Amino acid sequence: MKIKVNNLVSSLGILLDLNQKASQVNILEASSMVNYDFKKFSHHSIKSTYIAMEICNELDFDYDCKKKVYVSCMLHDIGINSSNNYYLDTKQLIHDHCEKGSKILEKFPKFSNLSNIIYYHHENYDGSGIFNISKDLIPIESQIIRLSDIIETIYYDSSSPDLRKHIIEWVKNNSGKLFSPLLSSAFLRISKRDIFWLNLDNISFHDFVFKKYTPNFDLELSLREFLDISYVFADIVDMSSSFTGEHSKNIGDLSYMISSSIGYDEEKCIKMKIAGLLHDIGKLAIPRSILNKNSSLTIEEFHIMKSHVYYTNLVLEKIEDIPDICEWASNHHEKLNGKGYPRMLTGESLSEECRILAVCDVYQALREDRPYRKGLNNDTIFKILNESCNNGFLCKNALSHLKNAL
Ligand SMILES: [Fe+2]
Ligand SMILES: [Fe+2]
Ligand SMILES: [Fe+2]
């Protein structure tokens, strides 16, 4: 079983864009005077990557460099997440997300060589950036991301003639300061072409960044390597809410344990573990104010919260090589009696694997402390779970698999 790196990177790009839209950051970066207001960020990773790839093409950079730029630009803000979004100190946020992002990349099999590029993606050419390194000491890939990231941030939503002019002037004025003359002049050439701006304006209507700009990686991950990446994301999801502790990690462990006690083969057990680790990955698309609210949700907030499973599906579907994991993870809130969400599937369409994950999710949630109640003990939990089975919500067999495994 192999997972194509191309698909994985596209999927992570979508995830990070959803995450940034849901994050609440509004900061003014002192060294560039750029206002990063993430509420307006939409398709930030994808648009920045498009700009970055145009610059690579304009300068005829070699294939190896293009690959590095593509992946690291798509993932450049991977360090932004979690409950610690409410930074008062801009410098600290910039410093921390560079450092954290590079640490995350270090754990990625096949991508660990990009960690340095992420670390330096807010450096300025003249050395006035966050880590004060300058010129050629800044990896060229980081320099390209810096330029593309800022252009995308100033550009925002559509390229009126005035906005184009403003961006072009801005890049010109910052040549030699924020950006190298080489990169600035490449961008100034690109910016003369209408097609560049039209593509940027219409990026959400087509998949062309993925289709036309993805270098051919010829790289595949083994299931084990994908498991390592899944741990990283389980951690990010768990950290994004202040009171779910190690929910994803625990569901991963539980679903693995049940799978092996049923006697699934090792590959399938690992897949079940991954489905457990990633089942709530769509929560990264949910505004932190809702994820972290410590009183009951309003009807409208609950409505938004429920959509997390839709986003789990959207992100995992893009990976293509794991349709089974995607199905099991995305159906964890479906119920046998059709009263679940988002598809309102019924028993006939819910596989044993989906049913097991649904049981694990409720079991684990009841064990955890919540702001409005303490974690429950096993006796109380199994009473609730039995009742749930009797009322047609959860599957009796799946529940007895859980009991046996425990
Ligand atoms: Fe950044
Ligand atoms: Fe960015
Ligand atoms: Fe969930």
Side-chain angles (χ1 to χ4, degrees):
M1 150 109 234
K2 295 279 176 204
I3 288 114
K4 284 182 210 76
V5 163
N6 282 15
N7 294 339
L8 179 68
V9 175
S10 313
S11 156
L12 296 182
I14 291 173
L15 177 68
L16 294 181
D17 283 353
L18 289 167
N19 179 42
Q20 243 168 11
K21 237 177 115 186
S23 298
Q24 286 139 339
V25 183
N26 188 351
I27 56 164
L28 188 70
E29 186 186 52
S31 72
S32 64
M33 293 307 283
V34 166
N35 185 8
Y36 291 84
D37 175 0
F38 287 178
K39 274 185 217 108
K40 69 184 189 189
F41 270 35
S42 83
H43 303 94
H44 174 65
S45 316
I46 294 173
K47 283 185 202 156
S48 319
T49 304
Y50 163 68
I51 300 168
M53 295 313 283
E54 281 286 302
I55 295 170
C56 290
N57 288 339
E58 180 67 25
L59 291 171
D60 226 356
F61 282 145
D62 65 38
Y63 206 60
D64 195 48
C65 174
K66 280 184 195 169
K67 282 189 202 172
K68 286 188 186 160
V69 170
Y70 183 84
V71 180
S72 47
C73 194
M74 205 60 102
L75 305 182
H76 73 277
D77 281 332
I78 198 167
I80 288 186
N81 75 302
S82 80
S83 45
N84 50 12
N85 275 326
Y86 304 95
Y87 272 92
L88 295 172
D89 184 354
T90 300
K91 247 185 152 172
Q92 196 64 38
L93 172 73
I94 292 178
H95 174 277
D96 286 6
H97 90 283
C98 290
E99 193 176 69
K100 203 161 155 204
S102 79
K103 286 214 174 100
I104 293 175
L105 259 279
E106 267 170 30
K107 293 191 223 154
F108 268 42
K110 307 250 168 34
F111 298 154
S112 53
N113 60 331
L114 306 179
S115 135
N116 213 33
I117 299 175
I118 307 271
Y119 194 75
Y120 292 121
H121 85 267
H122 275 267
E123 289 313 293
N124 297 327
Y125 192 68
D126 65 2
S128 61
I130 207 84
F131 298 112
N132 299 116
I133 61 161
S134 64
K135 304 198 172 154
D136 295 345
L137 292 177
I138 312 169
I140 184 74
E141 296 87 353
S142 308
Q143 295 185 36
I144 297 171
I145 296 174
R146 175 69 168 152
L147 175 58
S148 315
D149 186 23
I150 291 198
I151 292 169
E152 201 298 299
T153 306
I154 304 178
Y155 157 83
Y156 185 21
D157 219 7
S158 73
S159 63
S160 63
D162 278 354
L163 185 63
R164 290 186 195 186
K165 223 166 101 192
H166 170 71
I167 294 174
I168 291 167
E169 283 308 307
W170 203 86
V171 172
K172 255 187 211 161
N173 291 336
N174 282 292
S175 176
K177 294 181 205 160
L178 299 182
F179 320 117
S180 76
L182 175 79
L183 297 188
S184 312
S185 53
F187 174 73
L188 294 174
R189 292 196 297 278
I190 295 167
S191 66
K192 292 205 176 92
R193 300 169 205 142
D194 252 356
I195 181 89
F196 168 74
W197 300 101
L198 289 168
N199 272 340
L200 201 55
D201 291 347
N202 293 291
I203 227 146
S204 55
F205 293 114
H206 35 150
D207 241 10
F208 74 86
V209 176
F210 296 140
K211 287 195 180 125
K212 275 209 221 152
Y213 287 78
T214 316
N216 190 4
F217 288 100
D218 262 344
L219 255 187
E220 291 176 327
L221 297 182
S222 69
L223 194 60
R224 287 260 170 208
E225 289 172 319
F226 185 53
L227 175 65
D228 289 342
I229 290 186
S230 304
Y231 269 113
V232 175
F233 279 92
D235 217 34
I236 294 180
V237 173
D238 288 345
M239 276 182 343
S240 68
S241 165
S242 38
F243 41 77
T244 45
E246 298 198 309
H247 178 80
S248 308
K249 202 182 147 282
N250 288 333
I251 304 251
D253 289 344
L254 270 179
S255 47
Y256 181 86
M257 200 167 74
I258 297 174
S259 304
S260 63
S261 95
I262 293 177
Y264 292 165
D265 63 50
E266 181 60 10
E267 179 173 301
K268 187 157 172 191
C269 292
I270 295 179
K271 283 184 171 182
M272 282 290 278
K273 182 170 204 149
I274 294 174
L277 289 169
L278 299 181
H279 76 290
D280 270 344
I281 198 163
K283 281 201 175 156
L284 294 178
I286 306 299
R288 299 303 179 268
S289 54
I290 298 181
L291 274 191
N292 287 307
K293 193 175 173 193
N294 53 11
S295 52
S296 43
L297 299 180
T298 63
I299 293 175
E300 196 167 320
E301 287 165 342
F302 186 56
H303 188 77
I304 297 171
M305 184 64 139
K306 278 164 63 181
S307 67
H308 77 274
V309 252
Y310 172 82
Y311 292 112
T312 292
N313 185 265
L314 188 82
V315 168
L316 296 184
E317 205 175 46
K318 195 87 202 161
I319 304 180
E320 284 179 13
D321 305 296
I322 50 158
D324 38 10
I325 296 177
C326 174
E327 182 206 332
W328 307 335
S330 312
N331 285 340
H332 72 271
H333 285 293
E334 298 292 346
K335 305 287 182 227
L336 298 186
N337 58 12
K339 291 187 178 164
Y341 53 87
R343 291 173 220 251
M344 300 182 88
L345 296 176
T346 51
E348 306 90 78
S349 345
L350 291 166
S351 62
E352 180 173 67
E353 298 86 341
C354 295
R355 295 164 183 227
I356 291 172
L357 270 170
V359 166
C360 291
D361 189 46
V362 181
Y363 170 79
Q364 184 56 38
L366 293 173
R367 275 178 61 99
E368 291 159 9
D369 289 339
R370 290 287 184 268
Y372 46 90
R373 62 150 173 82
K374 278 253 150 248
L376 307 176
N377 60 33
N378 266 359
D379 283 350
T380 320
I381 294 177
F382 280 110
K383 248 181 229 154
I384 298 174
L385 291 177
N386 281 330
E387 209 169 296
S388 234
C389 289
N390 292 336
N391 294 332
F393 288 92
L394 293 172
C395 167
K396 277 189 182 133
N397 282 337
L399 180 59
S400 54
H401 286 315
L402 169 69
K403 282 182 189 158
N404 291 340
L406 288 172

